[in-house]
Amino acid sequence: MPDSNSTSARVSLTTLPKVPTGIEGLDEITEGGLPKGRPTLVCGSAGCGKTLMGIEFLVRGIEQHNEPGVLLAFEETVEELAANVASLGFDLPQLQQDKMLRIDHIHVDRSEIEETGEYDLEGLFIRLGYAIDTIGAKRVVLDTIESLFSGFPNEAVLRSEIRRLFRWLKDKGVTTIITAERGEGSLTRQGLEEYVSDCVILLDNRVIDQITTRRLRIVKYRGSTHGTNEYPYIITAAGISVVPVTSLRLEHTVSNDIISTGVPGLDDMFTRRGLYRGTSTLITGTAGTAKTTLAVSFALEACRRGERCLFFAFEESPAQLIRNMLTVGIDLEPYVKQGLLFIEASRPTLNGLEQHLVTVHKLVKDKQPGTIVVDPISNLISVGSISEVGAMLTRLIDYLKVQGITALFTALISGRNATQEMTEEGVSSLVDTWIHVRDLEGVGERNRGISILKARGMAHSNQVREFLVTSEGVQLLDVIIGPSGIVTGASRLAQTIQEQAHAMAAQQEAERRDRELERKRRVLEASISNLRTEFESVEEELRRVTEEDQHRQQALTQSRQQIARDFVSYQPQNPSDSPLNP
């Protein structure tokens, strides 16, 4: 088994020093930034943002890492460059005044070169070296290389000078971005720059189904691993934003806190009476099954907890959503005024998928929400293929989980998928909780039912619960079992009436038994009272007879005692006087 110290030593020796670009997402897919002290080639067609990437690389280096930079432009003047990036918040004149940025414009006229017949890069090296040394630059951008080498008619000399330029930049030890136009059948027009560059980034601007999409791909990166896929990127008011297709690792933290769905009956269907904070939930169903009402109830409950909530509505305007929800007893306007609820409403076709994703990123940074609702994600199919929408939603779910934000998505299920309970976007396997709403069609009526298809890390009910959308919101009804199973709608009413009739009959029978028991109790009590009265009479008679016997016995005793006393009083004093003595 290899020694851990030797392993760490090898890793430290093979680690390539990198310079963070400061461009959102680019440092993630390059695993740290561009190679330090080496040239990086950024190539692409017109309008893909090559110049902007180079300028943002310099500006972010100054703002975030205090690294001065030099911009050598061959096509646009200093004033033109400053005006072009002012709308992005980049104040190039101020950075120049602060001695942190030096911009130099070099005009190369091929006609003048043809007249003299001599052209080399010695003047460029002197000029660029002076600019670097003047401010101690750590970062350099050359824009664009085609203008610089247009004066070399000899291809052999051209190739030699390109190699010499790249070698000079490496020896100077500055981290450089060189922009180049894309050629036919090669990454650049000369077809050589990509071979001598240590890192090559390809920018592509394509139009698919009348929707502009920009893609970025790292063609090569010497000495470092990197993301190899095509990554969408957009140009916003804050600069370039590159969004990786998926997170590199699933290492986000989790919470054990339970939050309510906003519907008490639905909470009861989970053993822990709610959802885990920071998880993602999907509500699917056909049209008219109250998906939006459930989503708004979820958002309202978040606002009641004091959390900020972002609600992305792709079908209704904020005013329409607020008005419609008032009919079901949900008043959103107070929370909108308090700044707890922010409704972002637009048609999906307004922007591409990447723009929607970056809009979420921007609003998350600005609003710091605890909850996000997207209603519905199925409308995104109109601006991308199913695979593209699935990739975009994967990135969105991963991003929200990393941020610890609780998310809820709604999705419309088409008729062909309704029986399969599957979404066209294929994100049902990505979410943590899947709730399905459906139509429960009976004889001449249509009812709504809700069930939980899955809930990761939590036991849940397996019943299909009927629910109503009332003036007080969504209310789940109790489950009623009929002869053939769970009954809904009119059958529920008939079953309820029948059960009430049975309950009333049973109650009446119980009351009759109670009355009969009461009557018997009264009869028995009357009998007991009569017997008690009779007993008291007999007892009184016996007591009277006993007293008479006692009086008679007492009188007899007294008579005997009196007779005895009388007999003694008549006895003679002298026995001889007794008449009995002869």
Side-chain angles (χ1 to χ4, degrees), residues 41 43-45 146 159 180-195 200 202-203 217 219:
L41 179 67
C43 53
S45 57
E146 279 75 22
R159 290 177 175 270
E181 296 179 3
R182 190 168 185 178
E184 295 182 3
S186 61
L187 295 179
T188 60
R189 289 187 179 182
Q190 311 301 334
L192 178 65
E193 297 93 323
E194 58 264 35
Y195 295 102
V200 178
L202 175 63
L203 305 181
R217 180 167 64 93
V219 179

Side-chain angles (χ1 to χ4, degrees), residues 505-516:
Q507 183 179 359
Q508 291 175 350
E509 177 64 20
E511 291 176 352
R512 187 192 63 79
R513 289 196 299 268
D514 291 342
R515 289 194 300 271
E516 180 67 18

Side-chain angles (χ1 to χ4, degrees), residues 240-267:
I240 294 178
S241 177
V242 184
V243 185
V245 175
T246 58
S247 296
L248 298 180
R249 295 179 180 87
L250 296 175
E251 296 179 348
H252 54 271
T253 59
V254 297
S255 173
N256 290 322
D257 295 339
I258 299 297
I259 60 175
S260 172
T261 62
V263 180
L266 181 57
D267 291 340

Side-chain angles (χ1 to χ4, degrees), residues 478-499:
D478 295 332
V479 176
I480 295 181
I481 308 297
S484 59
I486 297 177
V487 294
T488 61
S491 300
R492 166 190 286 274
L493 180 60
Q495 182 73 18
T496 302
I497 293 175
Q498 185 178 2
E499 291 180 355

Side-chain angles (χ1 to χ4, degrees), residues 33-44:
L34 303 182
K36 184 177 181 179
R38 299 186 182 187
T40 295
L41 179 67
V42 177
C43 53

Side-chain angles (χ1 to χ4, degrees), residues 500-546:
Q500 290 177 349
H502 289 321
M504 184 176 296
Q507 183 179 359
Q508 291 175 350
E509 177 64 20
E511 291 176 352
R512 187 192 63 79
R513 289 196 299 268
D514 291 342
R515 289 194 300 271
E516 180 67 18
L517 182 62
E518 179 65 19
R519 185 187 64 79
K520 290 182 178 181
R521 186 184 64 79
R522 289 196 299 268
V523 170
L524 289 175
E525 288 180 351
S527 299
I528 293 172
S529 179
N530 293 334
L531 290 174
R532 185 178 290 109
T533 302
E534 182 178 356
F535 175 77
E536 290 175 354
S537 299
V538 173
E539 185 180 26
E540 179 65 23
E541 179 67 20
L542 290 175
R543 185 170 55 254
R544 187 180 60 80
V545 171
T546 302

